[in-house]
Amino acid sequence: MGMATAEDTARFSTDVYAHRLREAAAGAAAAGLSGLIITPGYDLRYLTGSRAQTFERLTALVLPADGSTPTVVVPRLELAALRESAVPELGVTVRDWVDGEDPYALVAAALGAGAVTGDRPATAVTDSMPALHLLPLADVLGRVPVLATEVLRRLRMIKDESEMDALRKAGAAIDRVHARVPGFLVPGRTEAEVAADIAEAIVAEGHSEVAFIIVGSGPNGADPHHECSDRVLCAGDIVVVDIGGPYAPGYNSDSTRTYSLGEPDAEVARQYAVLQRAQAAAVAAVRPGISAESVDAVARDVLAAEGLAEVFVHRTGHGIGLSVHEEPYIVTGNEITLEPGMAFSVEPGVYFAGKWGARIEDIVIVTEDGVESVNNRPHELVIVPV
């Protein structure tokens, strides 16, 4: 067997995308829509493997709800960009256009006979479609489209085997980066210098790029969305390291561990141990049939019992896949029932303004009877000798 090239791993096999297109068309039909119109973004990548970008010239996948052949409307000068996707192998119609033609009329035609009539069912568009394209489409269709979110949400939220495997590989890769982090955390270095080393490691361990790096030392750790700064690391600092990036074919890692430069003081160690217990309890609670908000409640209840409810200031988690943040959100008020194939973070934290903070984060996948974590680094406060 030959070596896999980057092109081989840039997308899944064609049958994966063929199945998704069928499911999306069926979902549109079930929702009473005439079809879906998907411009570049995560939805188009999910459905075809295309990483096309949005430009002023329209590129769009037109997916009729009646199951007829989908069409990709694409500027002739962007045709080459389709080659890396599954489009050439999917048997879809490719309708290229040149300046002077009306691509919006091509979209309407691709939806099928009677698409542009006042009494036809609505058409749905991806929620990332720019207004630049939405408004001309509304004109040619005779009505404003609705969002395709309801049709695509469930498809994207329930990961198939190929997606779960991609998330496992991404998780293992970011675990390898965390294993290297203690070597970067040297007193006297700045957060930004540490972040630069981590960025290099993220790519070296197999990610295609860096999505985000948080190195929050000392008081900066108390800001959950701190990135990195010129603050110099000092002995005694608690350091929050939250890192991730896409791994071919574009599924993201996202994992947080917290480090101590030298032995922490007793109160920090005590409060961290409560956080560790809260995170472990929330992971253990994950299984099919319970609500997303109940997982959030498990983490919150452990912290509240120790008087730490007020310092846990964000939701317990977010879904992950092609996008770092997607559904389902693990938050109070989200009553959605967990199902096998859902993947999300479990990441409670504690934040003491002006002093220090800590967070522990794993990506987990709901299995048929419980939970699988794709991150397996130790959850203890990591003591870095100084």
Side-chain angles (χ1 to χ4, degrees):
M1 206 165 135
M3 289 286 288
T5 67
E7 309 244 335
D8 296 331
T9 54
R11 61 176 175 84
F12 298 125
S13 63
T14 302
D15 58 344
V16 168
Y17 298 104
H19 176 74
R20 291 175 184 177
L21 288 174
R22 288 192 300 272
E23 290 290 303
L33 299 166
S34 61
L36 308 180
I37 304 171
I38 310 295
T39 45
Y42 290 124
D43 286 339
L44 185 65
R45 190 160 170 186
Y46 176 80
L47 291 169
T48 69
S50 170
R51 301 178 197 221
Q53 293 179 288
T54 288
F55 299 108
E56 72 278 10
R57 295 180 177 91
L58 179 74
T59 292
L61 167 70
V62 184
L63 196 59
D66 63 10
S68 57
T69 304
T71 299
V72 175
V73 173
V74 61
R76 190 163 296 165
L77 50 76
E78 298 296 328
L79 269 173
L82 286 182
R83 288 193 198 118
E84 65 177 33
S85 75
V87 166
E89 297 165 24
L90 279 168
V92 305
T93 301
V94 175
R95 180 64 174 85
D96 62 321
W97 62 278
V98 294
D99 291 347
E101 288 186 271
D102 180 357
Y104 306 102
L106 297 179
V107 168
L111 276 171
V116 190
T117 63
D119 58 354
R120 63 162 193 83
T123 303
V125 299
T126 179
D127 58 15
S128 63
M129 181 180 286
L132 171 77
H133 297 314
L134 177 66
L135 298 180
L137 268 176
D139 276 349
V140 79
L141 294 173
R143 66 192 287 181
V144 176
V146 298
L147 290 178
T149 315
E150 282 304 317
V151 173
L152 296 178
R153 172 189 284 140
R154 181 175 167 77
L155 275 182
R156 284 189 48 191
M157 200 162 40
I158 308 292
K159 272 47 182 188
D160 61 30
E161 274 305 325
S162 53
E163 291 175 291
M164 289 188 267
D165 191 49
L167 287 169
R168 289 181 192 109
K169 287 174 180 163
I174 210 68
D175 279 0
R176 294 192 298 271
V177 178
H178 268 298
R180 296 171 62 174
V181 165
F184 305 146
L185 296 175
V186 179
R189 304 189 76 206
T190 66
E191 291 174 351
E193 287 169 337
V194 172
D197 281 345
I198 291 173
E200 205 172 290
I202 285 174
V203 175
E205 294 296 349
H207 293 80
S208 48
E209 60 185 324
V210 176
F212 56 90
I213 297 174
I214 295 173
V215 180
S217 63
N220 290 340
D223 171 8
H225 282 168
H226 177 76
E227 290 181 358
C228 64
S229 73
D230 291 330
R231 183 183 183 275
V232 175
L233 271 57
C234 309
D237 279 349
I238 304 299
V239 187
V240 177
V241 177
D242 183 350
I243 52 179
Y247 191 97
Y251 283 70
N252 284 278
S253 62
D254 183 0
S255 181
T256 310
R257 291 295 184 265
T258 302
Y259 300 82
S260 178
L261 302 190
E263 289 291 335
D265 70 46
E267 184 60 3
V268 167
R270 185 191 73 79
Q271 290 168 322
Y272 184 90
V274 176
L275 174 63
Q276 189 180 335
R277 211 165 73 237
Q279 198 266 351
V283 170
V286 173
R287 63 183 185 279
I290 67 164
S291 66
E293 68 176 356
S294 68
V295 177
D296 181 87
V298 168
R300 223 164 276 282
D301 289 350
V302 173
L303 291 166
E306 298 287 344
L308 296 173
E310 297 301 310
V311 294
F312 178 20
V313 296
H314 55 74
R315 65 193 174 203
T316 292
H318 57 82
I320 193 165
L322 286 170
S323 178
V324 176
H325 287 184
E326 58 185 49
E327 297 194 51
Y329 293 101
I330 309 304
V331 63
T332 305
N334 188 4
E335 297 175 1
I336 190 167
T337 299
L338 299 186
E339 296 180 48
M342 289 182 176
F344 49 84
S345 66
V346 177
E347 53 176 308
V350 292
Y351 307 96
F352 301 90
K355 296 178 183 172
W356 66 285
R359 182 163 62 255
I360 307 169
E361 175 185 20
D362 294 323
I363 299 302
V364 302
I365 299 170
V366 184
T367 63
E368 292 298 330
D369 56 0
V371 64
E372 170 193 349
S373 177
V374 305
N375 298 114
N376 295 291
R377 293 292 302 161
H379 296 80
E380 288 74 27
L381 185 60
V382 182
I383 313 291
V384 181
V386 295

